[in-house]
Amino acid sequence: MSATTTRRTTGPTTSGTTMVAALNAALRDAMAADPAVHVLGEDVGSLGGVFRVTDGLSAQFGERRCLDTPLAEAGILGTAIGMAMYGLRPVVEMQFDAFAYPAFEQLVSHVAKMRNRTGGRMGLPITIRVPYGGGVGGVEHHSDSSEAYYAHTPGLHVVTPATVADAYGLLRAAIASDDPVVFLEPKRLYWSTEPDPIAEAGATGAGEVAPIGQAVVRRAGTSATLLTYGPSLPVCLDAARAAEDEGLDLAVVDLRSLVPFDDETVCAAVRATGRAVVVHEASGFGGVGAEIAARVSERCFHHLAAPVLRVTGYDIPYPPPMLEKHHLPSVDRVLDAVARLQWEA
Amino acid sequence: MTIVDDSTTPGLAEPPTGHGPRRDPAPLLPDPRPVRVLGTDAAAAFDPGLLHELHRQLVLGRRFNQQATTLTRQGRIAVYPASTGQEACQVAAAMVLSSQDWLFPTYRDTLAVVARGVRPIDALTLMRGHAHSGYDPYTHRIAPLATPLATQAAHAVGLAHAARLRAAADPASAEDLVALALVGDGATSEGDFHEALNFAGVLGAPVVFLVQNNGYAISVPLARQSAAPTLAHKAVGYGIVGRLVDGNDVLAVHRVLSEAVAHARAGRGPVLVEAITYRLEAHTNADDASRYRPAGEVDAWRARDPVTLFERHLRDVGLLDDARADAVARAAEELAAHIRAQFDAAPAPDPGSLFEHVYAQPTAQLREQAADLAARLALEADGTDGGAA
Ligand SMILES: Cc1ncc(C[n+]2csc(CCOP(=O)(O)OP(=O)(O)O)c2C)c(N)n1
Ligand SMILES: [Mg+2]
């Protein structure tokens, strides 16, 4: 069953489709298409998850296919590993970014390594959905950006949608992948809407799902290139619009997939302008932005008019909600970085 | 202390939603006296064919442990956590399983893996340092040896649960399988052990957990590990059955594990079995056990060597004579010679394999890195200075 034939389950409404609804549709369609797909996690059953991403799945597919588990993240992921060993395709929901940490050992020591340690005989097609990031007024432990931990672990794919269409397409791709995928859902964008994103996601052409590992240029530009992903994409698009007033034409690249990393699209977009700023919410030190800046410098050095800059969260524990706006990359901080790209030289 | 009798107070006697006490713990409780069969009438119930097979496996198992330890001294195995003294558990764990069942072993359990049919050289691949795992988990229905303590217990639960999900969804392809997870006494302190037992209880998964309580986690004795009456008592907190067995009595281990597997297979829920045993060697060849346990303690346990105990029984009941003992000893020597020959014939690991199987399809970055290493190796093979660039 293809994505386009099943997408009617959660169709676009007049007010548009939210990212939550698109994720829900992706799960529903994946479960309808493949009986091996099983959802498990905390409160994913009758409640539909604390963000309602699994809404209605246990009613439609039964409690066996959408299982409310005991409250134990290592147990959830460990159980999912055993299920995947037996040929199922588990989709695990971690309730929040910071509450995925108890599962870290299972993720790093088993999920990421099983294919390699068994000489390719035992792959684990597990999707681990993690709502992540701040900007939602969450009290502590509800706003972490944990992507660097995952991206630093060979054997995992790490993807994060920034649009409603990608939320659908990338989640279908993650579930279809024979490799484990950490699927980071930007909480801040859960309630953002698009007119008919699922039709768009279904219309990618080649297959029924968007491919993992491809960045996309969201906005072409000639002055400088903003490299970003997930919750920071709207910030960068706003910054690009604001920069127009200053006569700057900024390109914006949405990475979508941190692992595998699309060097080709990123480097082409940087070479086209000769200037780059990496923007993400996570702390800067040792972050994904550091890797991107290094890769761009190594590959595009002779095209660069200025050092690659980063706009990131500060190197502090995630702040309390009343102060988070100072921590998060803002349009102003992005524009300030752009202004420092040695224009006069 | 006066305990208030609130049974007559309206609204206090019965919680309205039924999440008060839910079951009688008595049937779950282990008998704190470990089950023993050797030296009891129960020993007569065993079929002589099975007794001879158990004996052969024990003797071969002991020889396997000795040979692997010798290979560490020769530098041909990087590290070997011997199960010498625990062979009754190792052998019984493999023998109670049927072909459709799954075994989830730890680093200590290479012998159980061999006893289930994996070639010794393949079972020892991890310890040789050639590859992380040397056997096909699906061919043998054995998960790779797990080193992160207790993590494998949850995998066993998930696999057993998945088998029941498949059976429910598609009865034609149903497999009545049981997953057996092996765990050490120290590993029962890990959160993953607790979570696995809890999930097993809640899901009612057909899993058996065998804790080989050898008294130590490297240097730390059990008393520092747990204040539980026995480790088998931990089962009760998860609503699953706990059983305690003498881990050096191969017939007792075989019987208790067989019953546990049958219980799980019949859909009656998981079982936690604690086998009290002892490792006669150090934690691994890299460990110095004299730093944490007295020689006298080891000697006392040598007197309860599971192989000797069983041979004594077999001779007592007339099932073992010198001719049979010699034949089994010769088979053990053949096994040892066979292992040495397999080691001699084994090819060196291929550096090209480093980049294989990280993902189903290598990423562009991994292809670049593989090409880089291949080019360096080609330069080295040419005798050119590979470090010049
Ligand atoms: C999570 C984790 N922590 C620490 C270790 C290091 N370690 C390896 S074996 C071991 C002792 C385990 O003792 P026990 O569970 O009793 O098993 P035994 O070695 O006695 O068979 C330790 C601490 C590990 N492998 N995994
Ligand atoms: Mg121990």
Side-chain angles (χ1 to χ4, degrees):
Chain A
M1 214 184 301
S2 79
T4 38
T5 56
T6 57
R7 70 191 157 88
R8 296 298 158 222
T9 47
T10 304
T13 63
T14 42
S15 59
T17 301
T18 64
M19 185 180 278
V20 164
L23 292 166
N24 180 261
L27 289 171
R28 191 183 301 274
D29 292 352
M31 291 175 85
D34 182 356
V37 177
H38 285 68
V39 170
L40 64 162
E42 296 157 8
D43 301 293
V44 297
S46 52
L47 182 67
V50 293
F51 294 106
R52 307 291 182 269
V53 173
T54 59
D55 188 32
L57 299 181
S58 67
Q60 183 172 343
F61 298 99
E63 287 174 16
R64 285 202 182 96
R65 296 282 304 279
C66 182
L67 179 72
D68 269 335
T69 63
L71 246 170
E73 292 74 12
I76 295 169
L77 192 51
T79 300
I81 291 169
M83 291 166 69
M85 285 176 163
Y86 197 68
L88 300 186
R89 232 164 237 278
V91 182
V92 165
E93 175 169 310
M94 292 288 156
Q95 203 157 62
F96 279 88
D97 32 59
F99 308 136
Y101 301 146
F104 200 63
E105 182 186 28
Q106 290 286 356
L107 184 71
V108 168
S109 296
H110 293 297
V111 174
K113 292 178 179 165
M114 194 64 82
R115 176 182 295 284
N116 185 257
R117 43 199 292 264
T118 57
R121 294 171 182 119
M122 185 178 259
L124 296 177
I126 304 176
T127 302
I128 299 130
R129 296 183 34 245
V130 187
Y132 84 117
V136 293
V139 297
E140 64 171 346
H141 311 300
H142 291 80
S143 298
D144 282 12
S145 290
S146 31
E147 62 267 30
Y149 306 135
Y150 304 124
H152 193 62
T153 303
L156 301 176
H157 286 327
V158 184
V159 306
T160 177
T163 67
V164 179
D166 275 355
Y168 180 88
L170 287 175
L171 185 52
R172 291 298 306 269
I175 296 170
S177 170
D178 287 333
D179 285 313
V181 180
V182 177
F183 191 86
L184 298 167
E185 301 172 359
K187 290 195 275 297
R188 186 141 53 116
L189 304 182
Y190 263 159
W191 302 281
S192 62
T193 57
E194 283 169 32
D196 192 2
I198 297 169
E200 197 190 306
T204 47
E208 67 174 44
V209 292
I212 287 176
Q214 290 185 7
V216 60
V217 178
R218 293 288 178 201
R219 185 191 150 113
T222 53
S223 311
T225 306
L226 305 181
L227 303 170
T228 191
Y229 55 88
S232 298
L233 176 67
V235 178
C236 288
L237 290 172
D238 286 349
R241 271 187 291 274
E244 286 171 9
D245 298 341
E246 296 167 31
L248 287 175
D249 181 17
L250 300 184
V252 179
V253 177
D254 175 1
L255 297 173
R256 303 200 285 192
S257 168
L258 305 181
V259 183
F261 189 78
D262 185 353
D263 281 308
E264 215 172 304
T265 302
V266 166
C267 289
V270 172
R271 286 191 194 108
T273 63
R275 289 177 167 86
V277 179
V278 189
V279 183
H280 64 56
E281 267 186 46
S283 299
F285 191 88
V288 168
E291 173 65 22
I292 297 169
R295 302 186 80 81
V296 168
S297 301
E298 285 166 0
R299 288 165 175 75
C300 311
F301 187 75
H302 294 292
H303 297 263
L304 288 174
V308 179
L309 297 183
R310 283 174 288 161
V311 176
T312 68
Y314 296 116
D315 295 327
I316 55 173
Y318 196 87
M322 300 304 279
L323 293 173
E324 68 179 335
K325 67 172 187 291
H326 304 292
H327 176 71
L328 296 170
S330 60
V331 168
D332 276 355
R333 283 176 65 196
V334 173
L335 291 178
D336 285 350
V338 170
R340 285 191 287 124
L341 291 171
Q342 304 188 7
W343 298 101
E344 52 290 322
Chain B
M1 199 206 311
T2 315
I3 296 173
V4 179
D5 175 11
D6 58 16
S7 59
T8 55
T9 314
L12 282 182
E14 283 298 321
T17 55
H19 58 275
R22 284 171 303 157
R23 65 160 79 174
D24 176 11
L28 308 176
L29 275 167
D31 184 338
R33 291 159 305 173
V35 173
R36 293 213 171 92
V37 170
L38 290 176
T40 73
D41 295 344
F46 281 80
D47 168 67
L50 174 61
L51 295 175
H52 283 146
E53 180 56 14
L54 281 167
H55 175 245
R56 205 182 67 88
Q57 292 280 0
L58 279 181
V59 174
L60 264 57
R62 173 59 53 84
R63 189 66 185 93
F64 175 85
N65 271 323
Q66 287 166 343
Q67 182 59 65
T69 302
T70 305
L71 286 163
T72 63
R73 295 201 190 103
Q74 297 168 357
R76 305 182 75 187
I77 292 182
V79 65
Y80 183 63
S83 58
T84 313
Q86 301 179 211
E87 288 92 346
C89 295
Q90 295 284 305
V91 160
M95 286 180 61
V96 298
L97 295 181
S98 304
S99 58
Q100 77 269 28
D101 296 333
W102 274 77
L103 180 68
F104 287 78
T106 77
Y107 55 89
R108 177 80 58 210
D109 307 310
T110 317
L111 175 56
V113 170
V114 172
R116 189 162 164 77
V118 174
R119 296 196 314 155
I121 186 95
D122 296 336
L124 287 166
T125 298
L126 168 70
M127 304 303 171
R128 289 162 67 217
H130 280 218
H132 297 313
S133 184
Y135 52 89
D136 184 337
Y138 290 107
T139 306
H140 300 280
R141 297 210 161 197
I142 307 176
L145 301 171
T147 304
L149 297 172
T151 52
Q152 75 284 358
H155 308 167
V157 176
L159 186 136
H161 177 60
R164 295 228 306 179
L165 286 172
R166 168 142 343 139
D170 178 12
S173 73
E175 295 183 299
D176 261 351
L177 72 76
V178 173
L180 173 61
L182 305 181
V183 186
D185 51 295
T188 66
S189 301
E190 291 280 1
D192 281 34
F193 177 73
H194 154 81
E195 295 189 21
L197 262 69
N198 191 46
F199 270 66
V202 170
L203 297 172
V207 198
V208 176
F209 304 94
L210 171 61
V211 175
Q212 292 169 81
N213 172 5
N214 60 14
Y216 290 90
I218 308 185
S219 66
V220 179
L222 185 63
R224 299 260 173 96
Q225 206 66 247
S226 174
T230 73
L231 295 174
H233 275 86
K234 293 196 175 199
V236 183
Y238 309 105
I240 74 180
V241 173
R243 289 287 175 261
L244 189 62
V245 62
D246 181 338
N248 284 18
D249 175 342
V250 71
L251 296 187
V253 181
H254 191 278
R255 195 183 93 190
V256 170
L257 280 182
S258 297
E259 288 168 2
V261 166
H263 179 97
R265 202 186 304 284
R268 295 170 61 209
V271 183
L272 170 64
V273 177
E274 173 187 0
I276 299 173
T277 181
Y278 195 79
R279 71 168 152 73
L280 292 169
E281 300 290 332
H283 173 66
T284 68
N285 49 299
D287 175 41
D288 175 6
S290 70
R291 292 179 70 100
Y292 54 82
R293 63 185 195 185
E297 178 182 302
V298 182
D299 292 341
W301 277 95
R302 267 191 210 290
R304 302 200 67 247
D305 182 315
V307 186
T308 325
L309 285 187
F310 191 47
E311 289 192 332
R312 198 177 300 151
H313 167 78
L314 290 179
R315 286 192 189 268
D316 283 352
V317 296
L319 283 170
L320 183 65
D321 57 15
D322 288 347
R324 175 175 287 276
D326 287 349
V328 175
R330 268 197 308 281
E333 284 317 310
E334 277 163 26
L335 170 70
H338 179 62
I339 293 172
R340 293 191 297 269
Q342 284 183 335
F343 268 69
D344 289 339
D350 169 18
S353 70
L354 285 174
F355 300 94
E356 286 169 6
H357 311 305
V358 180
Y359 299 98
Q361 301 297 327
T363 60
Q365 290 78 11
L366 285 180
R367 282 198 300 271
E368 267 175 35
Q369 292 167 25
D372 175 71
L373 179 62
R376 292 183 165 279
L377 293 171
L379 278 177
E380 271 175 32
D382 286 354
T384 326
D385 179 14

